[in-house]
Amino acid sequence: MELMGVVVVVLASVLVLCYSSVLEAQLQVGFYKSTCPQAESIIASEVRRALASNIGLAAGLVRMHFHDCFVRGCDGSVLIDSSSNNTAEKDSFINNPSLRGFEVIDNAKTRLEAACQGVVSCADILALAARDSVVMTGGVMYQVPAGRRDGRVSLVSEVLASLPGPTFDVDQLTRSFASKGLTQDEMVTLSGAHTIGRSHCAAFSSRLFDFNSTDGHDPSLDSAYASQLKQQCPQGSNDTSLVAFMDPRSPYTLDTAYYANLLQNRGLFASDQALATDSTTAGLVKQNAAAGGGIAWKRKFAAAMVKMGQIDVLTGSDGEIRSRCRVIN
């Protein structure tokens, strides 16, 4: 009986330790309240300053957070520069030149290191900067649980297999998001981020010229819209700087126009348009398009961003707090 009692006490102690570790590992709203109380205001001010000169960076920062979380989790690995012996995520053909806003993260990090050296992670800066970008383009304010640590690995070889592609069908998209713990509803909600920002022509030009239709474009693409895009992205052009807005109606405002565009066959990517034509997601597209001012969708979007921001995070003693976001310590 004494032995049994000892075993029970030991097991109880182990359970308490495990429970404490879980609590310690959880992200928390207000994580920097005592260690760097000005952290969130510093980040917001840098985002505000950047967007004042280039509002398009808002979409860049949201996209960067998404690309960070879907590759290795939300660990800031997308921020790491390539070196002589390693090509990093940011230099994948998918991310370069489409990702932008790295200088915003750098500027925020410089100020944070001056105010609270070695405290605020680059992964948290990116998550908070994405939130601020959402708010500053018309989204609702939401709290971001923080406490992420920075990863030490960034591999170009992991990008293609980790990110959903612009030609994916709904089944492929659903599997991609499900592998990150996100539902199909959250997938459709997060896809609404395409209501802001732009895309390089190379990501969708095959929809304009490579089909055996009368005009050569994807028959699921509205003809007038296709003609407009062909003017912006001429066939055979080698100009890699050519871009088109994801949502020409309101390219700098986070709203539900993206879903209305899909119902009019004006989705830029094949993966966008597939959401409106596949029976498993078409109802969600219609529901979001009919959301009026979009406040219900904006709240759903905020909740989905919070959930996405917790994919495979490093916490506690894992990872590190980088001194510079572009380089591991």
Side-chain angles (χ1 to χ4, degrees):
M1 291 296 291
E2 286 185 277
L3 178 59
M4 182 62 73
V6 171
V7 171
V8 170
V9 170
V10 171
L11 285 175
S13 298
V14 170
L15 288 171
V16 169
L17 288 172
C18 289
Y19 183 65
S20 298
S21 297
V22 169
L23 289 179
E24 180 182 323
Q26 289 178 341
L27 302 182
Q28 301 172 18
V29 171
F31 182 82
Y32 297 110
K33 186 175 182 180
S34 60
T35 56
C36 191
Q38 63 271 56
E40 294 198 23
S41 61
I42 287 175
I43 295 166
S45 68
E46 283 302 320
V47 173
R48 189 176 300 108
R49 186 163 67 94
L51 268 53
S53 59
N54 183 359
I55 188 63
L57 288 176
L61 290 167
V62 172
R63 180 178 173 86
M64 193 189 300
H65 182 42
F66 175 84
H67 282 220
D68 184 39
C69 292
F70 265 59
V71 183
R72 285 194 163 261
C74 311
D75 66 347
S77 56
V78 74
L79 303 170
I80 297 174
D81 281 346
S82 294
S83 64
S84 59
N85 58 4
N86 179 65
T87 305
E89 293 171 27
K90 64 165 57 172
D91 286 320
S92 161
F93 73 91
I94 296 173
N95 289 333
N96 186 4
S98 68
L99 292 189
R100 53 197 177 129
F102 292 103
E103 69 280 3
V104 183
I105 307 301
D106 291 337
N107 292 339
K109 182 61 172 174
T110 297
R111 288 182 58 189
L112 287 166
E113 285 297 295
C116 327
Q117 187 175 8
V119 173
V120 183
S121 70
C122 299
D124 275 345
I125 295 172
L126 181 51
L128 289 161
R131 185 273 310 276
D132 295 333
S133 297
V134 167
V135 173
M136 293 177 196
T137 50
V140 297
M141 179 63 180
Y142 61 93
Q143 297 298 315
V144 176
R148 298 165 189 78
R149 304 266 294 177
D150 296 323
R152 298 188 178 98
V153 177
S154 182
L155 302 172
V156 68
S157 60
E158 296 182 341
V159 176
L160 183 60
S162 301
L163 291 171
T167 62
F168 274 21
D169 60 28
V170 167
D171 185 55
Q172 291 171 305
L173 288 170
T174 301
R175 290 201 305 270
S176 176
F177 278 74
S179 71
K180 308 301 178 184
L182 297 166
T183 67
Q184 193 174 70
D185 189 355
E186 289 163 340
M187 174 189 83
V188 175
T189 299
L190 288 169
S191 295
H194 285 174
T195 192
I196 56 174
R198 64 189 191 183
S199 170
H200 286 80
C201 293
F204 61 86
S205 60
S206 62
R207 298 191 71 203
L208 305 180
F209 307 106
D210 295 352
F211 284 78
N212 294 321
S213 60
T214 303
D215 298 315
H217 65 255
D218 183 343
S220 70
L221 192 61
D222 175 76
S223 293
Y225 185 43
S227 297
Q228 176 186 331
L229 291 173
K230 286 178 180 180
Q231 293 179 7
Q232 295 176 262
C233 305
Q235 187 172 19
S237 174
N238 294 317
D239 187 349
T240 57
S241 67
L242 294 178
V243 296
F245 287 128
M246 300 293 295
D247 170 17
R249 297 168 61 176
S250 50
Y252 303 123
T253 304
L254 195 84
D255 56 24
T256 57
Y258 164 80
Y259 300 102
N261 291 339
L262 298 187
L263 296 179
Q264 297 173 358
N265 295 324
R266 290 180 168 236
L268 190 62
F269 293 161
S271 57
D272 290 320
Q273 195 58 52
L275 299 178
T277 56
D278 191 289
S279 60
T280 63
T281 51
L284 293 169
V285 171
K286 292 176 182 176
Q287 177 183 315
N288 291 334
I295 189 65
W297 171 77
K298 290 177 182 181
R299 287 173 179 156
K300 282 176 58 179
F301 184 80
M305 285 288 286
V306 170
K307 185 175 177 181
M308 184 189 77
Q310 300 183 57
I311 296 174
D312 296 333
V313 294
L314 300 173
T315 57
S317 59
D318 293 333
E320 64 184 18
I321 304 296
R322 281 184 226 137
S323 300
R324 294 171 56 212
C325 293
R326 293 173 179 265
V327 185
I328 61 174
N329 292 344

